[in-house]
Amino acid sequence: MGTNTFGPLLREARQRGLLTLENLAEASGVSVRAISDMERGKSLPRQATLGELMDALEVDEDQRRRLVTAARPDTRPVPRQLPPDLSVFRGREGVLAQLRAIEDQGAGVGGLQRVHRALAGGDRRHPHGP
């Protein structure tokens, strides 16, 4: 789940307990800034910190389970580069339609034809290359 869901769950639990950031910080021993960063999705708590927060919030087992699950970092791999075949991207139909319209007007010469072929997947060279 990660930062997108943990913050709102933490804020909801804090507000349900009628606690301010300062009250929760004092009760848990976690700084106001750290709690604020967590609620805004800027960070996730370490396991010990999460335990302190849940104890201070006096959450039930269901809330505890939801918070623990949401506090797990997102472990999906981040791609290091674009895929080699850029035609896998969606949404290029509009670009192709624009290029075809330009070609229909008689402006599709030279470099524009190479760009069109590259976008259509027929030319693997860089459109601005030789």
Side-chain angles (χ1 to χ4, degrees):
M1 285 190 164
T3 57
N4 291 337
T5 56
F6 180 77
L9 287 173
L10 178 61
R11 179 178 289 122
E12 176 187 317
R14 178 178 59 79
Q15 290 173 342
R16 189 178 307 115
L18 302 175
L19 296 171
T20 65
L21 285 170
E22 292 78 11
N23 297 143
L24 180 56
E26 186 176 320
S28 67
V30 179
S31 74
V32 171
R33 181 173 179 151
I35 296 169
S36 176
D37 285 350
M38 287 179 233
E39 286 189 358
R40 290 180 293 131
K42 290 189 165 208
S43 66
L44 290 172
R46 293 183 178 168
Q47 190 171 5
T49 303
L50 179 59
E52 292 164 354
L53 289 169
M54 291 188 299
D55 289 345
L57 290 166
E58 299 178 359
V59 294
D60 62 28
E61 284 304 312
D62 181 53
Q63 282 182 303
R64 190 173 284 269
R65 190 172 25 261
R66 289 172 55 208
L67 284 165
V68 167
T69 301
R72 291 186 187 126
D74 191 359
T75 57
R76 289 180 289 177
V78 176
R80 297 273 181 206
Q81 65 184 36
L82 293 174
D85 182 9
L86 296 181
S87 67
V88 300
F89 287 108
R90 296 180 185 198
R92 62 186 186 90
E93 293 83 9
V95 173
L96 289 173
Q98 289 174 344
L99 287 172
R100 287 187 187 104
I102 292 170
E103 277 184 336
D104 291 344
Q105 295 172 2
V109 295
L112 186 55
Q113 289 174 344
R114 284 195 307 273
V115 171
H116 178 71
R117 279 195 310 272
L119 288 172
D123 187 356
R124 300 290 179 214
R125 295 178 299 168
H126 189 281
H128 299 294

